[in-house]
Amino acid sequence: MKDRRRRGVSSSGMFFFWCAVVLIFFAAFNSSALRLLFPEGFHPRMITKGNIPAMEAISAENSVTPAISIRETVIFPDQALVFLKYPPSAALFTKDDINCIYLLPNSSRPQLELSPSSVDYDYGNHQIVRCPLQPRGLILSLAVKHNGNLTPGPTYRWDALAYEAMIDRDNSTIVFVKGLNLRSGRVANSSRFKCLYGWDLTKPKFVLSANAVSVAQEIVRCRTPLSILNRLQRFTSSFNDSIKVSVRVIGQRTLNSIARVKHQYGSKQLARGKQHELCVCTMLRNQARFLREWVMYHAHVGVQRWFIYDNNSDDDIERVVESLVDTSYKVTRHVWPWIKTQEAGFAHCALRAQDSCEWVGFIDVDEFFHLPSGLSLKDVVANASRPSEVAELRVPCHSFGPSGLKKVPMKGVMAGYTCRLAAPERHKSIVKPEALNTSLINVVHHFHLKSGFRHINMNRSKLVINHYKYQVWEVFKEKFYRRVATYVSDWQQERNVGSKDRAPGLGTKAIEPLDWSMRFCEVKDTGLRDRIFKIFVDPKTSLLPWEDHQPDERSKIN
């Protein structure tokens, strides 16, 4: 009895000791920390030991977010992108509502005030404001109508940055980064990399880390910590928008980050099955005037859904997309400001498409699927992929030249350009997105596949791509501005001058050769032109559906 009483006293003492520890622990937290751990609407409840989620270590600072604020600024070679965060209920701003202001350090008085080149919306309770680069020694901020001058946010360089992230079907985190400088088409040693999660990645004690499971090119895949997954499922998207993820190279450095963890997929989506058999993904810049022709034609041959990755266009492409949507085409524009990231952008698109698309084609806006046999694209894809292990169709490309033209053809590229090189150049791919290798490696529009899947090369008599690559000089010279692919040199650089990506003999200057309109013409090919005239021409007006519907004798077929 004495022994049992002693044990009882000891247990009681331990109970009161731990109660005191818990009280001291909670007293140490200030109100802002509690708001971070428990968002608005939190109500205490009794839970069992088995359902307590892991609590990640995260920063307890800056929990009160201003109504409108600068989230961060990214400096590019020719402009600065300011990410403006605002409440979901707030109205969107236009160029007339915002000015770019340039401040001296520790000063709130603008030294310079300029209009932004554009203001864009990026589907995440924030807008992207494009500003001229700030003069040396000044700090960029924004002046917003009815909100005054905003406090400048953290500023990062575009070429050493984790800029986008998403949670995949298997609950792994995929981080898109610049600055790793890995080789094209090669898988890196994943043990050298980790993903870091938190609200303030500069404070190690408030950061979670996770091992990378694959690393290739500019994409890092990590095992997502359970506590991060629980938070994404339990709390609102605006609350989770604060959780950043970055990549650390072990023994070297941690990349700056503006990437927030987003849960892209869910079992409810998967249960509904695939909505579309054929989709197309493209990345473009200033191609609005060609988009209607590209979408309308491909809708006729069987494409059902279009993903447009807009790489800093300033030609009102959003209006063209809206007009297509208004006429029942399923087109979405995704703002993708990250330069030299075509491979990463296509991987991002494949992930977005995998729940809704059986097959996805990766082509440019100047590339058109041509079916010489007259079959639909759907039938050709179905026939070619009957062996279940076939998950990629590689389609050869015919490169067309200016075809004697010196001005943009009014009836569109398919009708205007009819002379091409004899031999095909390269290929583009149609893939099953769920068959892609977890590394998401893609090079020149084709992907690495999972084990057990394979590709086939399409016969040109069944399916070929008409690539209107060498158009009239007015259009072609835009290629000198910047190439979108990561591992392709810009044409103004004295590197890889002999690359097939470049036009032969042009060098590094956008100077039109005297004989440009007659170049790249070896074979007369009117196959696709003849088909669209037969199918699309309005017999009353002689117009094609993507033309301006205004009477114009110049646009009629002779």
Side-chain angles (χ1 to χ4, degrees), residues 366-409:
D366 61 356
E367 295 172 333
F368 292 73
F369 289 117
H370 176 35
L371 300 112
S373 64
L375 294 175
S376 71
L377 186 58
K378 173 184 173 181
D379 290 337
V380 170
V381 170
N383 293 338
S385 60
R386 278 180 180 159
S388 58
E389 70 274 11
V390 173
E392 180 182 25
L393 311 180
R394 295 187 176 179
V395 186
C397 300
H398 280 151
S399 294
F400 283 71
S403 306
L405 302 179
K406 295 186 177 181
K407 293 183 178 180
V408 175

mmCIF file of all heavy atoms in Angstrom, residues 366-409:
data_model
loop_
_atom_site.group_PDB
_atom_site.id
_atom_site.type_symbol
_atom_site.label_atom_id
_atom_site.label_comp_id
_atom_site.label_asym_id
_atom_site.label_seq_id
_atom_site.Cartn_x
_atom_site.Cartn_y
_atom_site.Cartn_z
ATOM 1 N N ASP A 366 2.356 28.618 -85.136
ATOM 2 C CA ASP A 366 2.620 28.595 -86.579
ATOM 3 C C ASP A 366 2.720 27.164 -87.115
ATOM 4 O O ASP A 366 3.196 26.946 -88.227
ATOM 5 C CB ASP A 366 3.881 29.385 -86.922
ATOM 6 C CG ASP A 366 5.140 28.840 -86.259
ATOM 7 O OD1 ASP A 366 5.041 27.875 -85.461
ATOM 8 O OD2 ASP A 366 6.237 29.382 -86.521
ATOM 9 N N GLU A 367 2.230 26.204 -86.347
ATOM 10 C CA GLU A 367 2.272 24.789 -86.741
ATOM 11 C C GLU A 367 0.849 24.229 -86.786
ATOM 12 O O GLU A 367 0.061 24.415 -85.847
ATOM 13 C CB GLU A 367 3.129 23.992 -85.760
ATOM 14 C CG GLU A 367 4.593 24.436 -85.793
ATOM 15 C CD GLU A 367 5.447 23.821 -84.701
ATOM 16 O OE1 GLU A 367 4.907 23.466 -83.634
ATOM 17 O OE2 GLU A 367 6.671 23.713 -84.911
ATOM 18 N N PHE A 368 0.541 23.506 -87.871
ATOM 19 C CA PHE A 368 -0.814 23.004 -88.101
ATOM 20 C C PHE A 368 -0.747 21.525 -88.466
ATOM 21 O O PHE A 368 -0.015 21.132 -89.381
ATOM 22 C CB PHE A 368 -1.480 23.775 -89.247
ATOM 23 C CG PHE A 368 -1.785 25.212 -88.921
ATOM 24 C CD1 PHE A 368 -0.774 26.159 -88.834
ATOM 25 C CD2 PHE A 368 -3.091 25.621 -88.701
ATOM 26 C CE1 PHE A 368 -1.048 27.482 -88.543
ATOM 27 C CE2 PHE A 368 -3.385 26.953 -88.401
ATOM 28 C CZ PHE A 368 -2.362 27.882 -88.313
ATOM 29 N N PHE A 369 -1.540 20.699 -87.777
ATOM 30 C CA PHE A 369 -1.646 19.284 -88.140
ATOM 31 C C PHE A 369 -2.347 19.161 -89.489
ATOM 32 O O PHE A 369 -3.461 19.667 -89.672
ATOM 33 C CB PHE A 369 -2.444 18.511 -87.082
ATOM 34 C CG PHE A 369 -1.715 18.322 -85.778
ATOM 35 C CD1 PHE A 369 -2.194 18.880 -84.606
ATOM 36 C CD2 PHE A 369 -0.545 17.575 -85.725
ATOM 37 C CE1 PHE A 369 -1.536 18.693 -83.404
ATOM 38 C CE2 PHE A 369 0.133 17.391 -84.525
ATOM 39 C CZ PHE A 369 -0.361 17.953 -83.367
ATOM 40 N N HIS A 370 -1.688 18.494 -90.413
ATOM 41 C CA HIS A 370 -2.268 18.262 -91.737
ATOM 42 C C HIS A 370 -2.473 16.761 -91.905
ATOM 43 O O HIS A 370 -1.569 15.964 -91.633
ATOM 44 C CB HIS A 370 -1.333 18.802 -92.820
ATOM 45 C CG HIS A 370 -1.792 18.533 -94.219
ATOM 46 N ND1 HIS A 370 -3.123 18.518 -94.596
ATOM 47 C CD2 HIS A 370 -1.078 18.253 -95.360
ATOM 48 C CE1 HIS A 370 -3.211 18.255 -95.875
ATOM 49 N NE2 HIS A 370 -1.998 18.094 -96.364
ATOM 50 N N LEU A 371 -3.681 16.390 -92.336
ATOM 51 C CA LEU A 371 -4.050 14.972 -92.487
ATOM 52 C C LEU A 371 -4.319 14.688 -93.954
ATOM 53 O O LEU A 371 -5.447 14.811 -94.440
ATOM 54 C CB LEU A 371 -5.287 14.662 -91.634
ATOM 55 C CG LEU A 371 -5.065 14.915 -90.134
ATOM 56 C CD1 LEU A 371 -5.907 16.098 -89.652
ATOM 57 C CD2 LEU A 371 -5.350 13.674 -89.332
ATOM 58 N N PRO A 372 -3.271 14.308 -94.715
ATOM 59 C CA PRO A 372 -3.438 14.093 -96.162
ATOM 60 C C PRO A 372 -4.471 13.039 -96.510
ATOM 61 O O PRO A 372 -5.082 13.086 -97.585
ATOM 62 C CB PRO A 372 -2.031 13.664 -96.618
ATOM 63 C CG PRO A 372 -1.112 14.228 -95.580
ATOM 64 C CD PRO A 372 -1.865 14.144 -94.294
ATOM 65 N N SER A 373 -4.685 12.075 -95.599
ATOM 66 C CA SER A 373 -5.626 10.993 -95.880
ATOM 67 C C SER A 373 -7.080 11.449 -95.793
ATOM 68 O O SER A 373 -7.989 10.742 -96.248
ATOM 69 C CB SER A 373 -5.413 9.840 -94.903
ATOM 70 O OG SER A 373 -5.712 10.257 -93.570
ATOM 71 N N GLY A 374 -7.317 12.606 -95.176
ATOM 72 C CA GLY A 374 -8.675 13.093 -95.016
ATOM 73 C C GLY A 374 -9.363 12.609 -93.755
ATOM 74 O O GLY A 374 -10.497 13.015 -93.459
ATOM 75 N N LEU A 375 -8.704 11.743 -92.985
ATOM 76 C CA LEU A 375 -9.265 11.281 -91.708
ATOM 77 C C LEU A 375 -9.213 12.411 -90.685
ATOM 78 O O LEU A 375 -8.481 13.387 -90.839
ATOM 79 C CB LEU A 375 -8.484 10.074 -91.191
ATOM 80 C CG LEU A 375 -8.570 8.783 -92.010
ATOM 81 C CD1 LEU A 375 -7.625 7.735 -91.412
ATOM 82 C CD2 LEU A 375 -9.996 8.249 -92.047
ATOM 83 N N SER A 376 -9.972 12.261 -89.609
ATOM 84 C CA SER A 376 -9.884 13.222 -88.514
ATOM 85 C C SER A 376 -8.652 12.912 -87.670
ATOM 86 O O SER A 376 -8.132 11.786 -87.675
ATOM 87 C CB SER A 376 -11.136 13.145 -87.637
ATOM 88 O OG SER A 376 -11.145 11.935 -86.888
ATOM 89 N N LEU A 377 -8.188 13.921 -86.946
ATOM 90 C CA LEU A 377 -7.047 13.709 -86.051
ATOM 91 C C LEU A 377 -7.376 12.664 -84.996
ATOM 92 O O LEU A 377 -6.529 11.844 -84.624
ATOM 93 C CB LEU A 377 -6.662 15.039 -85.403
ATOM 94 C CG LEU A 377 -5.407 15.054 -84.540
ATOM 95 C CD1 LEU A 377 -4.181 14.611 -85.315
ATOM 96 C CD2 LEU A 377 -5.186 16.448 -83.953
ATOM 97 N N LYS A 378 -8.597 12.661 -84.518
ATOM 98 C CA LYS A 378 -9.033 11.676 -83.527
ATOM 99 C C LYS A 378 -8.869 10.260 -84.055
ATOM 100 O O LYS A 378 -8.361 9.372 -83.365
ATOM 101 C CB LYS A 378 -10.499 11.943 -83.170
ATOM 102 C CG LYS A 378 -11.129 10.891 -82.278
ATOM 103 C CD LYS A 378 -12.611 11.192 -82.060
ATOM 104 C CE LYS A 378 -13.293 10.054 -81.314
ATOM 105 N NZ LYS A 378 -14.747 10.323 -81.119
ATOM 106 N N ASP A 379 -9.293 10.023 -85.308
ATOM 107 C CA ASP A 379 -9.186 8.679 -85.886
ATOM 108 C C ASP A 379 -7.735 8.276 -86.108
ATOM 109 O O ASP A 379 -7.356 7.121 -85.868
ATOM 110 C CB ASP A 379 -9.952 8.617 -87.208
ATOM 111 C CG ASP A 379 -11.451 8.691 -87.013
ATOM 112 O OD1 ASP A 379 -11.921 8.357 -85.906
ATOM 113 O OD2 ASP A 379 -12.165 9.088 -87.962
ATOM 114 N N VAL A 380 -6.915 9.215 -86.579
ATOM 115 C CA VAL A 380 -5.505 8.909 -86.812
ATOM 116 C C VAL A 380 -4.805 8.545 -85.498
ATOM 117 O O VAL A 380 -4.041 7.581 -85.421
ATOM 118 C CB VAL A 380 -4.801 10.097 -87.494
ATOM 119 C CG1 VAL A 380 -3.287 9.898 -87.509
ATOM 120 C CG2 VAL A 380 -5.327 10.274 -88.917
ATOM 121 N N VAL A 381 -5.075 9.310 -84.452
ATOM 122 C CA VAL A 381 -4.470 9.033 -83.144
ATOM 123 C C VAL A 381 -4.947 7.683 -82.616
ATOM 124 O O VAL A 381 -4.151 6.882 -82.100
ATOM 125 C CB VAL A 381 -4.789 10.161 -82.150
ATOM 126 C CG1 VAL A 381 -4.381 9.763 -80.723
ATOM 127 C CG2 VAL A 381 -4.088 11.441 -82.560
ATOM 128 N N ALA A 382 -6.236 7.406 -82.731
ATOM 129 C CA ALA A 382 -6.781 6.134 -82.243
ATOM 130 C C ALA A 382 -6.161 4.953 -82.985
ATOM 131 O O ALA A 382 -5.801 3.939 -82.370
ATOM 132 C CB ALA A 382 -8.300 6.126 -82.401
ATOM 133 N N ASN A 383 -6.020 5.054 -84.313
ATOM 134 C CA ASN A 383 -5.443 3.959 -85.098
ATOM 135 C C ASN A 383 -3.975 3.746 -84.757
ATOM 136 O O ASN A 383 -3.502 2.601 -84.675
ATOM 137 C CB ASN A 383 -5.591 4.248 -86.592
ATOM 138 C CG ASN A 383 -7.041 4.229 -87.043
ATOM 139 O OD1 ASN A 383 -7.893 3.634 -86.398
ATOM 140 N ND2 ASN A 383 -7.325 4.897 -88.160
ATOM 141 N N ALA A 384 -3.237 4.839 -84.563
ATOM 142 C CA ALA A 384 -1.797 4.722 -84.312
ATOM 143 C C ALA A 384 -1.485 4.217 -82.911
ATOM 144 O O ALA A 384 -0.402 3.665 -82.681
ATOM 145 C CB ALA A 384 -1.129 6.081 -84.524
ATOM 146 N N SER A 385 -2.407 4.381 -81.986
ATOM 147 C CA SER A 385 -2.123 4.043 -80.588
ATOM 148 C C SER A 385 -2.830 2.778 -80.127
ATOM 149 O O SER A 385 -3.014 2.568 -78.920
ATOM 150 C CB SER A 385 -2.536 5.210 -79.680
ATOM 151 O OG SER A 385 -3.921 5.488 -79.796
ATOM 152 N N ARG A 386 -3.217 1.939 -81.056
ATOM 153 C CA ARG A 386 -3.915 0.705 -80.652
ATOM 154 C C ARG A 386 -3.056 -0.197 -79.770
ATOM 155 O O ARG A 386 -3.573 -0.756 -78.813
ATOM 156 C CB ARG A 386 -4.415 -0.036 -81.890
ATOM 157 C CG ARG A 386 -5.729 0.549 -82.391
ATOM 158 C CD ARG A 386 -6.250 -0.154 -83.604
ATOM 159 N NE ARG A 386 -7.519 0.456 -84.027
ATOM 160 C CZ ARG A 386 -8.017 0.349 -85.236
ATOM 161 N NH1 ARG A 386 -7.359 -0.334 -86.160
ATOM 162 N NH2 ARG A 386 -9.160 0.914 -85.539
ATOM 163 N N PRO A 387 -1.782 -0.369 -80.032
ATOM 164 C CA PRO A 387 -0.987 -1.045 -79.000
ATOM 165 C C PRO A 387 -0.983 -0.184 -77.737
ATOM 166 O O PRO A 387 -0.614 0.992 -77.774
ATOM 167 C CB PRO A 387 0.408 -1.122 -79.626
ATOM 168 C CG PRO A 387 0.187 -0.969 -81.098
ATOM 169 C CD PRO A 387 -0.991 -0.052 -81.226
ATOM 170 N N SER A 388 -1.409 -0.728 -76.615
ATOM 171 C CA SER A 388 -1.627 0.075 -75.413
ATOM 172 C C SER A 388 -0.354 0.722 -74.887
ATOM 173 O O SER A 388 -0.421 1.689 -74.136
ATOM 174 C CB SER A 388 -2.246 -0.793 -74.310
ATOM 175 O OG SER A 388 -1.406 -1.901 -74.007
ATOM 176 N N GLU A 389 0.814 0.193 -75.280
ATOM 177 C CA GLU A 389 2.059 0.768 -74.773
ATOM 178 C C GLU A 389 2.489 2.030 -75.539
ATOM 179 O O GLU A 389 3.425 2.717 -75.135
ATOM 180 C CB GLU A 389 3.195 -0.258 -74.818
ATOM 181 C CG GLU A 389 3.711 -0.630 -76.201
ATOM 182 C CD GLU A 389 2.924 -1.737 -76.863
ATOM 183 O OE1 GLU A 389 1.838 -2.080 -76.340
ATOM 184 O OE2 GLU A 389 3.388 -2.263 -77.891
ATOM 185 N N VAL A 390 1.818 2.337 -76.647
ATOM 186 C CA VAL A 390 2.146 3.537 -77.410
ATOM 187 C C VAL A 390 1.572 4.754 -76.683
ATOM 188 O O VAL A 390 0.361 4.881 -76.503
ATOM 189 C CB VAL A 390 1.606 3.468 -78.843
ATOM 190 C CG1 VAL A 390 1.824 4.806 -79.559
ATOM 191 C CG2 VAL A 390 2.285 2.349 -79.611
ATOM 192 N N ALA A 391 2.450 5.663 -76.282
ATOM 193 C CA ALA A 391 2.021 6.824 -75.500
ATOM 194 C C ALA A 391 2.533 8.138 -76.083
ATOM 195 O O ALA A 391 2.294 9.197 -75.507
ATOM 196 C CB ALA A 391 2.484 6.687 -74.053
ATOM 197 N N GLU A 392 3.232 8.077 -77.211
ATOM 198 C CA GLU A 392 3.708 9.302 -77.852
ATOM 199 C C GLU A 392 3.752 9.094 -79.361
ATOM 200 O O GLU A 392 4.317 8.106 -79.852
ATOM 201 C CB GLU A 392 5.104 9.689 -77.354
ATOM 202 C CG GLU A 392 5.640 10.961 -77.991
ATOM 203 C CD GLU A 392 7.047 11.307 -77.512
ATOM 204 O OE1 GLU A 392 7.774 10.398 -77.090
ATOM 205 O OE2 GLU A 392 7.399 12.498 -77.583
ATOM 206 N N LEU A 393 3.136 10.027 -80.083
ATOM 207 C CA LEU A 393 3.166 10.017 -81.545
ATOM 208 C C LEU A 393 4.064 11.159 -81.988
ATOM 209 O O LEU A 393 3.767 12.336 -81.720
ATOM 210 C CB LEU A 393 1.761 10.205 -82.119
ATOM 211 C CG LEU A 393 0.655 9.319 -81.537
ATOM 212 C CD1 LEU A 393 -0.677 9.633 -82.215
ATOM 213 C CD2 LEU A 393 0.997 7.842 -81.670
ATOM 214 N N ARG A 394 5.157 10.841 -82.651
ATOM 215 C CA ARG A 394 6.092 11.861 -83.120
ATOM 216 C C ARG A 394 5.767 12.190 -84.578
ATOM 217 O O ARG A 394 5.843 11.334 -85.460
ATOM 218 C CB ARG A 394 7.533 11.385 -82.959
ATOM 219 C CG ARG A 394 7.897 11.197 -81.488
ATOM 220 C CD ARG A 394 9.356 10.886 -81.273
ATOM 221 N NE ARG A 394 9.677 10.816 -79.847
ATOM 222 C CZ ARG A 394 10.880 10.545 -79.347
ATOM 223 N NH1 ARG A 394 11.901 10.313 -80.196
ATOM 224 N NH2 ARG A 394 11.072 10.499 -78.050
ATOM 225 N N VAL A 395 5.415 13.446 -84.793
ATOM 226 C CA VAL A 395 4.885 13.876 -86.090
ATOM 227 C C VAL A 395 5.946 14.718 -86.802
ATOM 228 O O VAL A 395 6.394 15.739 -86.263
ATOM 229 C CB VAL A 395 3.600 14.698 -85.902
ATOM 230 C CG1 VAL A 395 2.969 15.022 -87.255
ATOM 231 C CG2 VAL A 395 2.602 13.951 -85.006
ATOM 232 N N PRO A 396 6.342 14.332 -88.032
ATOM 233 C CA PRO A 396 7.354 15.113 -88.762
ATOM 234 C C PRO A 396 6.813 16.473 -89.189
ATOM 235 O O PRO A 396 5.598 16.671 -89.330
ATOM 236 C CB PRO A 396 7.662 14.231 -89.984
ATOM 237 C CG PRO A 396 6.439 13.403 -90.179
ATOM 238 C CD PRO A 396 5.875 13.159 -88.800
ATOM 239 N N CYS A 397 7.731 17.415 -89.396
ATOM 240 C CA CYS A 397 7.354 18.798 -89.750
ATOM 241 C C CYS A 397 7.895 19.169 -91.120
ATOM 242 O O CYS A 397 9.079 18.951 -91.410
ATOM 243 C CB CYS A 397 7.918 19.786 -88.723
ATOM 244 S SG CYS A 397 7.350 19.534 -87.037
ATOM 245 N N HIS A 398 7.050 19.766 -91.943
ATOM 246 C CA HIS A 398 7.476 20.396 -93.189
ATOM 247 C C HIS A 398 7.592 21.897 -92.946
ATOM 248 O O HIS A 398 6.630 22.536 -92.494
ATOM 249 C CB HIS A 398 6.468 20.136 -94.315
ATOM 250 C CG HIS A 398 6.613 18.790 -94.938
ATOM 251 N ND1 HIS A 398 5.555 18.103 -95.506
ATOM 252 C CD2 HIS A 398 7.693 17.990 -95.110
ATOM 253 C CE1 HIS A 398 5.982 16.952 -95.987
ATOM 254 N NE2 HIS A 398 7.273 16.858 -95.764
ATOM 255 N N SER A 399 8.751 22.465 -93.253
ATOM 256 C CA SER A 399 8.992 23.889 -93.013
ATOM 257 C C SER A 399 8.718 24.694 -94.277
ATOM 258 O O SER A 399 9.353 24.490 -95.310
ATOM 259 C CB SER A 399 10.437 24.108 -92.556
ATOM 260 O OG SER A 399 10.643 23.501 -91.298
ATOM 261 N N PHE A 400 7.762 25.618 -94.170
ATOM 262 C CA PHE A 400 7.358 26.452 -95.302
ATOM 263 C C PHE A 400 8.093 27.785 -95.269
ATOM 264 O O PHE A 400 8.392 28.328 -94.201
ATOM 265 C CB PHE A 400 5.845 26.698 -95.268
ATOM 266 C CG PHE A 400 5.037 25.525 -95.735
ATOM 267 C CD1 PHE A 400 4.942 24.377 -94.964
ATOM 268 C CD2 PHE A 400 4.380 25.550 -96.958
ATOM 269 C CE1 PHE A 400 4.203 23.277 -95.389
ATOM 270 C CE2 PHE A 400 3.649 24.459 -97.405
ATOM 271 C CZ PHE A 400 3.553 23.315 -96.620
ATOM 272 N N GLY A 401 8.366 28.315 -96.484
ATOM 273 C CA GLY A 401 9.032 29.598 -96.628
ATOM 274 C C GLY A 401 8.058 30.710 -96.960
ATOM 275 O O GLY A 401 6.831 30.501 -97.007
ATOM 276 N N PRO A 402 8.561 31.922 -97.230
ATOM 277 C CA PRO A 402 7.695 33.084 -97.525
ATOM 278 C C PRO A 402 6.848 32.915 -98.778
ATOM 279 O O PRO A 402 5.881 33.662 -98.972
ATOM 280 C CB PRO A 402 8.689 34.232 -97.679
ATOM 281 C CG PRO A 402 9.928 33.789 -96.976
ATOM 282 C CD PRO A 402 9.989 32.307 -97.145
ATOM 283 N N SER A 403 7.221 31.968 -99.634
ATOM 284 C CA SER A 403 6.410 31.623 -100.811
ATOM 285 C C SER A 403 6.172 32.809 -101.738
ATOM 286 O O SER A 403 5.098 32.969 -102.333
ATOM 287 C CB SER A 403 5.060 31.019 -100.371
ATOM 288 O OG SER A 403 5.259 29.933 -99.492
ATOM 289 N N GLY A 404 7.181 33.691 -101.855
ATOM 290 C CA GLY A 404 7.085 34.831 -102.752
ATOM 291 C C GLY A 404 6.351 36.023 -102.167
ATOM 292 O O GLY A 404 6.256 37.068 -102.833
ATOM 293 N N LEU A 405 5.855 35.923 -100.955
ATOM 294 C CA LEU A 405 5.088 37.017 -100.354
ATOM 295 C C LEU A 405 6.006 38.014 -99.641
ATOM 296 O O LEU A 405 7.061 37.648 -99.123
ATOM 297 C CB LEU A 405 4.067 36.475 -99.352
ATOM 298 C CG LEU A 405 3.039 35.473 -99.874
ATOM 299 C CD1 LEU A 405 2.122 35.028 -98.747
ATOM 300 C CD2 LEU A 405 2.225 36.077 -101.014
ATOM 301 N N LYS A 406 5.555 39.269 -99.607
ATOM 302 C CA LYS A 406 6.281 40.296 -98.884
ATOM 303 C C LYS A 406 5.426 40.945 -97.793
ATOM 304 O O LYS A 406 5.933 41.731 -96.996
ATOM 305 C CB LYS A 406 6.806 41.365 -99.845
ATOM 306 C CG LYS A 406 7.850 40.812 -100.811
ATOM 307 C CD LYS A 406 8.473 41.903 -101.661
ATOM 308 C CE LYS A 406 9.560 41.315 -102.561
ATOM 309 N NZ LYS A 406 10.219 42.368 -103.392
ATOM 310 N N LYS A 407 4.136 40.606 -97.781
ATOM 311 C CA LYS A 407 3.231 41.092 -96.749
ATOM 312 C C LYS A 407 2.477 39.911 -96.144
ATOM 313 O O LYS A 407 2.323 38.863 -96.776
ATOM 314 C CB LYS A 407 2.245 42.108 -97.328
ATOM 315 C CG LYS A 407 2.892 43.405 -97.789
ATOM 316 C CD LYS A 407 1.837 44.393 -98.273
ATOM 317 C CE LYS A 407 2.488 45.716 -98.696
ATOM 318 N NZ LYS A 407 1.464 46.694 -99.180
ATOM 319 N N VAL A 408 1.999 40.089 -94.915
ATOM 320 C CA VAL A 408 1.250 39.033 -94.226
ATOM 321 C C VAL A 408 0.036 38.644 -95.064
ATOM 322 O O VAL A 408 -0.755 39.518 -95.463
ATOM 323 C CB VAL A 408 0.799 39.522 -92.833
ATOM 324 C CG1 VAL A 408 -0.085 38.471 -92.163
ATOM 325 C CG2 VAL A 408 2.002 39.844 -91.964
ATOM 326 N N PRO A 409 -0.138 37.355 -95.379
ATOM 327 C CA PRO A 409 -1.278 36.934 -96.201
ATOM 328 C C PRO A 409 -2.602 37.180 -95.477
ATOM 329 O O PRO A 409 -2.777 36.751 -94.333
ATOM 330 C CB PRO A 409 -1.038 35.445 -96.435
ATOM 331 C CG PRO A 409 -0.103 35.021 -95.346
ATOM 332 C CD PRO A 409 0.731 36.216 -95.028
#
